[in-house]
Amino acid sequence: MLPYINLPFQYVAGKLGASTDELKLIFSFLLSYPLAGLLKRVPDAKPALKNLFIIGVSVFYLIGLFDLWDGLRTLAVTSIAAYSIAKYVQGPFMPWVGFVFLMGHLSINQISRQFRNNPGVVDITGAQMVLVMKLTAFCWNVADGRLPEKDLSDDQKEKAIRALPSPLDFAGYVLFFPSLMAGPAFDYVDYKRWIETTMFEIPAGTDPSKKPPTRKKRKIPRSGTPATWKAATGIFWILLFLQLGGSYPLDFFTGDKYMTYGFARRVFMLHMLGFTSRLKYYGVWSLTEGACILSGLGFKGIDPATGKVSWDRLRNVNPWGVESAQNTRAYLGNWNINTNNWLRNYIYLRVTPKGKKPGFRASMATFTTSAFWHGFYPGYYLSFVLASFVQTVAKNCRRYLRPFFIDPKTSNPTSTKIYYDIASYLVTQLTFSFVTAPFVLLTLPSSFLVWARVYFYAIIGTALATGFFASSAKVFLIKKLNARSGATGHKLQRTHSQESLAGKEPVLGIPPDPPQEFAEIVQEVRSEIEARQRKGIRRADTLPEPKTKGF
């Protein structure tokens, strides 16, 4: 650590009541903006210099600012091991070898951090979680690069790595400083296209007058304005967190004063606990995304017709989408977007054998990976398990209740649809206030105590709704819907929202339909037993009869 660098942070921390490391973390996010501006000014023809600049800044963050010598060693071991596995391990199991090593190494550090139990101190596990996403994806992309293109999906073709990058390029990818400590994660092909500036090539047929403005000979379009908006948004969320976070401390919910309020007030306070906890993530992810935009890596493309540039390649959260969500898939799908993409592309779809549809194995593998990746606090697992059942109920509500508020002839909302929207919004938000509480409280005793103090309302509601849709009421609703559609001679068309909700892919690793997953488990085990029995019978039929010795 640089001499005396802690002094200003200690002074400000004493005034604000925050920890020194938390202030240094915010400082590093803000410092990444001018440094990203300098990075963008490194000549496009000198990618090696860009890599060296990136590595130097990240080493300064880790050593000069946080004194994380052990953290630097952890990232080095993780990265060198992943690169070596990708280079020297051949065959289809290479990505899984990398996955097991990377997740195992992360799990060891997660357990160590849990035993230290000092959330105010910045350690390396946050950066390592981001790196695990990047390096497991890297191993898969290298494996895809060894396969013929006919065996790959369009997405896999685009991200395949046909030749291993140089150690310098790889180190720049690993230590990309705007996203080092908190993400967002991205694929190596994005980094390669960024550092080679091929990312910024104008699509064929684009009107030259619509070409986005650049400075001098740089290919990277001007990104100062969108980056500034992201920075302002991030600072707003951080300030809001500092203003509201102290009003809802964790020990308040486990203390006696919480129970002096009425039930409705306690539920509202529980909702505010979740909201204020999300504020710091909104702030951090907005700040880091803005720095990536300023460097140019957030570039997603331009509209050939209007010339409008899209900068949301690395968007990790949609705060409005979360806070206004009317169903579970919208709530979860707008949160930690890059982790969602990683789990889908590199776990869920990879577990599924080619030519088969993803089933319970894919869902369970994704769920387990997501849970282990987050850590080993019991509260995480309470939230994940309950959320999976909530998601099933929400899917049934949209499938069997929502159509009553849609005109079957025109597929337009009826005049009473607003009441369904209000009800679904309140139920979704208040249910997830309950579901996510253990994610913040972390321990089993605290989680169950707080749940008990609001009478387990979400668990009871989920159980009653599950029983309702498992009863004859579901058949009754289906008959009513069929009769309603038949009366007009039109079938109700599914909207895009309904279609996406009907998807079986887990969001954040949460199984979309636990009862269906369990039924698939039972069916697969039964099929396996029957197959083994048939195999045993055929084998017995083909064995030669034993010869009898004569006497």
Side-chain angles (χ1 to χ4, degrees), residues 396-397 399-401 403-404 468-469 471-484:
N396 285 328
C397 286
R399 183 176 293 172
Y400 302 115
L401 296 181
F404 286 105
F468 175 82
F469 287 112
S471 70
S472 57
K474 178 178 174 180
V475 177
F476 174 78
L477 291 175
I478 292 173
K479 289 181 178 179
K480 285 290 185 181
L481 287 174
N482 290 337
R484 190 167 179 265

Side-chain angles (χ1 to χ4, degrees), residues 267-268 270-272 274-275 278 282 319-328 330-332 390 421-436 457-458:
V267 171
F268 172 76
L270 190 64
H271 174 73
M272 291 303 295
F275 175 67
R278 291 191 295 275
Y282 294 159
W320 176 251
V322 174
E323 301 304 330
S324 64
Q326 297 178 23
N327 59 73
T328 59
Y331 190 101
L332 298 171
V390 169
D421 291 341
I422 293 172
S424 61
Y425 167 76
L426 291 174
V427 170
T428 297
Q429 296 295 327
L430 295 180
T431 298
F432 271 97
S433 299
F434 182 95
V435 169
T436 57
Y457 70 85

